Amino acid sequence: MKRKMWLSLTLSALLVTAVGCGDKPGGEGTKTAGGGDAEKKTYSIAISQIVEHPSLDATREGILAALKDAGISEDEGTLKIDYNNAQGDQANNLSIGQKLKDTKSDLVIAIATPSAQAVADNVKEKPVLFAAVTDPLDAKLVSDLQKPGGNVTGASDTNPEAAKQLMDFVSAQFPNVKKVGLVINEGEANAVVMAKTAEEALAEHGIELVKAAVTNTSEIKQAAESLVGKVDAYYITLDNVVVSGVDTIIQTAQKNKIPFFSSDRDTVEKGAFATVGFKYYDHGYQVGQMAVEILKDGKNPADMEVTKPDKLDLILNAKVAADYGIEVTDAMKQEVKDPDNNIIE
């Protein structure tokens, strides 16, 4: 009897030891009371981008970089991306918006005004962030910049002061400029808004804005050439169609020694002479930080203020100045707040 009791107690002790030393419920990667590694959560995002060009691509890269810095990336297996590019085609853009209506993604990010409009019109049950949008109010993406109130928020890539400061620079440093030529796709709401701001700023200096309309990239060369002999300088807005085909404007401007001013840093780095702006990578990074707040912290887009660039500076491409017949003067350089980063030599 005693031997049976001893065997029973021994078996019970062994069972307790086995349970105590064995794996915890949940398997590998589950966080334990002792502080073991927690299983990494995988997030999914859908991205809609109207077209590929340097500014929008840099925006997307900045978004993904901010996510990666927060531990959310494809490399780490914590991010799945459904990337959609409309290739500049509005029919494709609308189809992408409709496709994303029933998306299973945790968050939808729309890059550029047309993409944001198509997504916002269709995606109502998921958080939506926009980037590279000129005027979120005019585009009817939000009704209030401080308190969007719905499922959509994001970052504008325009501060109206940028266009005004650029036109002040043109007037002060190029006194012979009396007419500025603008190649524009008036089908883009963002381009129309920026053109109006530029036109009003130029008018204050007695300078006329002359428009040449296009509907696609194949028309840009002819539009730029049609302005030769009629204008003293070129300017473009954050017009996705025009920026996509900007090489032809650069070539036409340089061939005819007509100074060319843009609305984004990437176009200046590509060959335009000057802009007042910022890095689109930084703009995207800002949107990426907002994405982290939504995904990780559970923030509601309705309560997230729409942001805009606040660190504006004159950006000069001194390397191409001679191609436009421009002499870069000390007075021009003195207008650059951060010459180490914003004078390209």
Side-chain angles (χ1 to χ4, degrees):
M1 182 72 177
K2 288 182 179 180
R3 179 177 176 82
K4 287 182 179 180
M5 183 178 294
W6 181 84
L7 285 172
S8 177
L9 289 171
T10 300
L11 287 171
S12 297
L14 288 171
L15 285 170
V16 169
T17 301
V19 171
C21 295
D23 291 338
K24 294 287 183 181
E28 186 178 353
T30 302
K31 188 173 182 178
T32 67
D37 291 335
E39 184 178 355
K40 292 181 179 179
K41 181 174 180 179
T42 299
Y43 300 92
S44 61
I45 63 172
I47 297 176
S48 176
Q49 183 172 321
I50 188 62
V51 72
E52 290 182 350
H53 65 60
S55 295
L56 300 188
D57 293 343
T59 298
R60 187 178 73 253
E61 290 165 7
I63 291 170
L64 297 179
L67 288 168
K68 185 173 184 178
D69 287 347
I72 305 174
S73 74
E74 288 184 307
D75 293 341
E76 297 178 24
T78 52
L79 178 64
K80 293 180 180 179
I81 302 173
D82 174 15
Y83 175 61
N84 305 269
N85 192 299
Q87 302 299 332
D89 186 290
Q90 183 61 9
N92 290 343
N93 180 48
L94 295 175
S95 294
I96 291 169
Q98 291 165 359
K99 167 198 165 185
L100 295 177
K101 182 176 182 179
D102 300 315
T103 183
K104 302 300 182 184
S105 299
D106 301 306
L107 171 67
V108 180
I109 300 176
I111 303 175
T113 301
S115 294
Q117 289 174 317
V119 167
D121 285 345
N122 287 280
V123 180
K124 304 296 184 182
E125 305 299 325
K126 298 286 184 178
V128 173
L129 281 177
F130 58 76
V133 169
T134 298
D135 190 335
L137 294 173
D138 183 76
K140 296 180 171 51
L141 296 172
V142 297
S143 57
D144 188 298
L145 297 177
Q146 280 70 44
K147 287 279 188 180
N151 68 314
V152 180
T153 189
S156 168
D157 63 353
T158 279
N159 183 327
E161 287 302 311
K164 294 176 184 177
Q165 290 177 23
L166 180 59
M167 299 316 157
D168 289 345
F169 172 76
V170 172
S171 175
Q173 303 301 329
F174 296 84
N176 293 328
V177 171
K178 302 301 179 185
K179 293 185 178 183
V180 172
L182 172 68
V183 178
I184 180 172
N185 170 27
E186 293 182 317
E188 285 195 36
N190 50 304
V192 173
V193 169
M194 288 192 71
K196 183 179 179 182
T197 301
E199 187 170 23
E200 292 173 351
L202 287 170
E204 291 180 5
H205 298 289
I207 300 173
E208 181 184 353
L209 186 70
V210 181
K211 300 176 185 177
V214 299
T215 58
N216 56 63
T217 55
S218 66
E219 298 172 355
I220 294 174
K221 184 175 187 293
Q222 183 178 354
E225 290 176 344
S226 74
L227 293 169
V228 175
K230 299 178 183 177
V231 300
D232 309 302
Y234 285 111
Y235 166 70
I236 62 169
T237 68
L238 299 174
D239 183 324
N240 293 296
V241 168
V242 175
V243 173
S244 297
V246 76
D247 287 344
T248 58
I249 300 178
I250 293 172
Q251 292 163 9
T252 302
Q254 291 181 352
K255 178 182 177 181
N256 293 279
K257 303 297 182 186
I258 301 174
F260 176 30
F261 304 93
S262 71
S263 295
D264 66 297
R265 182 191 182 95
D266 296 292
T267 300
V268 172
E269 291 180 349
K270 202 169 188 179
F273 174 61
T275 190
V276 171
F278 54 92
K279 289 185 177 180
Y280 267 82
Y281 178 92
D282 295 338
H283 169 70
Y285 197 93
Q286 186 178 34
V287 176
Q289 290 176 316
M290 297 175 78
V292 171
E293 291 179 330
I294 291 172
L295 294 172
K296 279 195 163 184
D297 303 334
K299 278 201 172 183
N300 188 340
D303 303 320
M304 298 176 71
E305 180 180 355
V306 174
T307 62
K308 66 181 180 180
D310 55 4
K311 295 180 180 179
L312 300 175
D313 196 7
L314 178 67
I315 303 162
L316 298 179
N317 188 338
K319 290 193 302 183
V320 300
D323 296 330
Y324 295 106
I326 299 171
E327 179 186 353
V328 180
T329 64
D330 290 339
M332 291 180 185
K333 292 181 178 180
Q334 287 169 6
E335 293 202 31
V336 182
K337 300 172 188 173
D338 183 3
D340 290 340
N341 289 309
N342 293 331
I343 296 180
I344 302 166
E345 294 181 307

